[in-house]
Amino acid sequence: MLRTALCGSVRICAEEGALVGLSTHPAEHELSEEQSHAVAGLVREELARRRISRQFLADQAKISLSTLEKALSGRRPFTLATLIRLEEALGVRLRHPEPRPVAPVVAAPAALPVGVAAADLGSYARPAVSWIEGVYLTLRPSFGDRRAIYAYRTEIHWDDAGSRLAFRESERVDAAFTQHGVVSVPNQSGHIYLVTNTHGQYRMAILGRPTITGEMHGILTTLQAGPGSQLTPVASPIVLVPMAAAGSAAEFGRIGPDQPCHPRYRDILRRTVEEPFARFLPVTAE
């Protein structure tokens, strides 16, 4: 009996010694700086969520307000004894085996300056290409009638969302084939590219720099619609004439030889090849 009592006494003393050790030697049971910081955040979150004061929590945990204040402010680390008392008072677990690693911050790609186009469009700034913006009378040969000229409207404007020049056609007889896309202006070639990309299907006009009257002559490469679903690659001269130069009497659609504006449209279009702003190479026989 005496032996059992002594053993029981030793066991109790050992446990009490451990508890005493927490108070007498706190450094041996202090949480790391990272763990203390994490615990402080959780305790502050519980205080806010439950709308209770720090004094109330200190009273419930049977610790001094000064101890709680210092631990929450980071002036001293939490001890294991304090942590256990706070868990019992709040009814939540505050301990984590190890601080959770922080995911590395991946730097986002640098955004382009506002008003500057992407590199694959020529990296042009809006002020440098503002002279292109406007509304144009667009002329090319008619694909269906060799004597006729096809005329429609093209507007080139700055697209704020895409930070680039964009274009859109209108006043086309074949409205279903109306095109819109982006404008590339690379410094290397000095030419202007109107590019449409619809699910990987490209249509492009390559235009030279404007003449003294503002006309831009070049080559159009596109697909000609044939019977049924037939599509045939085709290239033709094309001219964009500023609407201010074209005049208020400009006509749109398929312009035949009997229409008053046909001679003027024909002469403008012929300049593309005759001056030449573009070359169409023939296939020669040996």
Side-chain angles (χ1 to χ4, degrees), residues 6-278:
L6 287 174
C7 291
S9 176
V10 170
R11 179 177 59 82
I12 293 170
C13 288
E15 290 179 355
E16 290 177 349
L19 290 175
V20 171
L22 288 174
S23 302
T24 308
H25 305 288
E28 296 178 3
H29 302 277
E30 291 176 351
L31 275 65
S32 67
E33 182 179 350
E34 293 83 3
Q35 290 172 329
S36 290
H37 180 74
V39 170
L42 292 174
V43 172
R44 285 194 293 268
E45 183 180 332
E46 289 295 324
L47 288 170
R49 187 173 63 83
R50 302 181 189 208
R51 299 182 181 180
I52 59 176
S53 67
R54 295 185 179 186
Q55 181 65 67
F56 180 83
L57 176 59
D59 292 342
Q60 293 295 309
K62 296 181 175 58
I63 60 176
S64 68
L65 178 60
S66 174
T67 298
L68 180 61
E69 292 281 5
K70 290 178 181 179
L72 290 178
S73 65
R75 286 179 289 167
R76 61 172 292 180
F78 282 92
T79 65
L80 183 58
T82 301
L83 184 58
I84 292 172
R85 291 175 182 272
L86 289 172
E87 286 182 334
E88 291 176 349
L90 293 170
V92 296
R93 182 172 177 81
L94 302 173
R95 284 170 287 182
H96 295 285
E98 292 294 338
R100 285 172 287 185
V102 179
V105 177
V106 179
L112 287 171
V114 176
V116 177
D120 57 358
L121 294 177
S123 300
Y124 53 80
R126 185 179 186 182
V129 295
S130 59
W131 52 269
I132 305 176
E133 295 183 65
V135 181
Y136 297 86
L137 166 67
T138 306
L139 306 174
R140 65 164 172 79
S142 169
F143 296 160
D145 182 350
R146 292 185 178 182
R147 300 175 303 167
I149 295 172
Y150 195 70
Y152 53 94
R153 184 177 182 271
T154 300
E155 179 184 2
I156 299 177
H157 64 279
W158 184 263
D159 174 13
D160 285 318
S163 190
R164 62 195 178 189
L165 286 173
F167 76 92
R168 180 174 293 276
E169 300 174 350
S170 60
E171 304 292 342
R172 287 186 57 147
V173 175
D174 54 348
F177 296 95
T178 297
Q179 304 289 323
H180 62 88
V182 299
V183 181
S184 175
V185 190
N187 289 325
Q188 288 85 346
S189 71
H191 283 70
I192 300 159
Y193 300 77
L194 308 187
V195 183
T196 298
N197 177 5
T198 306
H199 305 299
Q201 179 175 293
Y202 281 80
R203 181 254 204 194
M204 181 170 63
I206 306 177
L207 306 171
R209 293 279 178 169
T211 64
I212 192 66
T213 58
E215 298 169 5
M216 293 188 290
H217 297 254
I219 294 175
L220 170 67
T221 58
T222 185
L223 296 174
Q224 179 182 358
S229 60
Q230 180 182 351
L231 296 172
T232 305
V234 62
S236 75
I238 187 172
V239 184
L240 270 64
V241 183
M243 288 300 299
S248 58
E251 297 183 42
F252 301 103
R254 186 175 285 106
I255 309 299
D258 56 336
Q259 293 179 253
C261 62
H262 183 273
R264 184 164 65 96
Y265 285 5
R266 179 196 58 205
D267 291 343
I268 294 172
L269 198 52
R270 278 179 175 174
R271 289 186 63 192
T272 306
V273 179
E274 292 175 353
E275 293 212 6
F277 290 97

